[in-house]
Amino acid sequence: MKKLIFIFWFSLVGINSAFPQTTVYHPFPESGAYWRESSQGYQCRCSDYQYVLQGDTVIGAYSYTKVEHSGVMYANNPGGWCITGGYSTFFVNYAGAIRNDSDARKVFFVPSGEIAEQLLYDFNLKLHDTLSASYLYNPSWYGQDNFICIESIDSVLVGAIYHKRFGLAVTYNLQNEYAYLIEGVGSSFGLFGSLFSLWPPFEFGSMLECFSVNGQPALTGDPTSCLLVTSIAKPNPTEPCSIFPNPISEKASIRLPVNTMPLDLLVTDMSGRIVLWLKDNRNGSVISREGLS
């Protein structure tokens, strides 16, 4: 995952920076698109996932496009970092709905469970403008005297068409463009990725791996990064795990269902503290009582 992120980040920073700005505004697609993303961090939920456009809905006086969020969520090891090769949980949920205002060059968002829309993206920007408050950005994050501002404007190829791209920097570090807004796409942090300057992530960060329209990759660093995340096989519930002898005197064997994907086995005490961690088990393992109260 880290390699894919690096390739994509390099492509965003390095490609097409010499091309002039496009004057034609490109709104978000309203069907047939998905954003393939990943997130990782310390003591945070890390996952591989996508946002997919899933039809229309009406909220108040406006028509919106519904957005479905699905993917896999990974566990954290005792040190707080992701176990991307271990057991994962597949999820599907409704993220909310988005609306284009092409005349204003803005995109609005109604989060799941709410009825009031919020500004998601403002692409009506000029060089050195400061970013307006939005669903993705709260100016108070940086304190009273520091803001996110536009330090460059150029174009990037999205599919076969150049879209305007805005380089973001924080006023206390204008030399470092840490992320980009892209018309009709979102940002280099993903569709709903926070624009707070934490890349590389100090504790948590998301990254756009691929943007696809009508089944064709439109913005990506690697073709494999456009593959949709689907449910990962889990142990067959008709073949339960077993442990014997139980209770344990000296040792116990754990048997797992046939063809189980690698699992981490965690033994905890009554308070939930992990006292034993056995990595990458496929067929089973042996637990020793030695050292355990």
Side-chain angles (χ1 to χ4, degrees):
M1 181 165 66
K2 290 182 179 178
K3 183 177 180 181
L4 292 178
I5 289 174
F6 174 78
I7 293 172
F8 179 77
W9 182 252
F10 178 82
S11 69
L12 275 183
V13 173
I15 291 178
N16 302 315
S17 60
F19 284 91
Q21 301 170 26
T22 176
T23 58
V24 178
Y25 175 67
H26 300 285
F28 274 37
E30 296 181 345
S31 64
Y34 66 82
W35 293 255
R36 171 70 174 80
E37 304 179 17
S38 63
S39 64
Q40 58 178 309
Y42 175 67
Q43 293 183 339
C44 298
R45 294 181 296 179
C46 53
S47 53
D48 288 313
Y49 56 93
Q50 55 266 330
Y51 291 104
V52 182
L53 300 184
Q54 291 284 11
D56 300 329
T57 187
V58 175
I59 305 174
Y62 297 108
S63 177
Y64 294 81
T65 303
K66 295 184 292 185
V67 182
E68 180 186 88
H69 183 204
S70 62
V72 292
M73 187 175 297
Y74 302 105
N76 293 85
N77 64 27
W81 297 102
C82 298
I83 312 174
T84 55
Y87 195 80
S88 61
T89 302
F90 185 77
F91 64 88
V92 180
N93 57 58
Y94 170 65
I98 57 177
R99 175 177 73 88
N100 283 306
D101 185 341
S102 297
D103 292 337
R105 299 193 174 199
K106 295 180 179 180
V107 182
F108 294 91
F109 177 57
V110 180
S112 174
E114 301 183 19
I115 59 174
E117 70 176 16
Q118 301 180 45
L119 177 66
L120 186 64
Y121 288 102
D122 181 358
F123 295 108
N124 188 25
L125 298 166
K126 298 180 178 60
L127 194 63
H128 305 311
D129 278 356
T130 56
L131 220 58
S132 301
S134 69
Y135 180 77
L136 306 177
Y137 169 57
N138 183 342
S140 65
W141 288 338
Y142 291 103
Q144 221 169 15
D145 302 321
N146 292 290
F147 304 94
I148 295 179
C149 58
I150 306 303
E151 278 302 293
S152 69
I153 302 178
D154 59 9
S155 298
V156 63
L157 194 61
V158 179
I161 302 173
Y162 283 99
H163 289 216
K164 188 174 288 187
R165 182 179 70 168
F166 304 84
L168 303 183
V170 184
T171 48
Y172 65 73
N173 187 13
L174 295 177
Q175 292 72 37
N176 177 30
E177 291 185 2
Y178 70 92
Y180 293 90
L181 302 181
I182 304 171
E183 280 184 353
V185 176
S187 85
S188 50
F189 288 170
L191 178 58
F192 298 119
S194 168
L195 297 180
F196 188 44
S197 175
L198 286 180
W199 187 261
F202 172 65
E203 288 192 345
F204 179 79
S206 62
M207 197 66 183
L208 178 65
E209 304 281 0
C210 172
F211 174 63
S212 176
V213 180
N214 296 326
Q216 298 297 319
L219 188 64
T220 179
D222 187 307
T224 61
S225 66
C226 289
L227 299 176
L228 288 173
V229 181
T230 57
S231 179
I232 292 179
K234 298 180 173 61
N236 188 335
T238 62
E239 299 181 59
C241 304
S242 62
I243 178 169
F244 59 92
N246 187 12
I248 301 173
S249 55
E250 295 181 359
K251 294 182 180 181
S253 297
I254 296 176
R255 288 183 179 175
L256 300 176
V258 178
N259 297 324
T260 297
M261 63 180 292
L263 299 177
D264 286 5
L265 304 179
L266 304 180
V267 179
T268 67
D269 62 17
M270 293 294 288
S271 68
R273 182 176 62 91
I274 296 173
V275 296
L276 183 64
W277 179 30
L278 305 174
K279 300 175 65 175
D280 297 333
N281 297 273
R282 288 182 180 272
N283 299 317
S285 189
V286 175
I287 292 178
S288 172
R289 172 70 186 276
E290 183 178 357
L292 300 179
S293 60

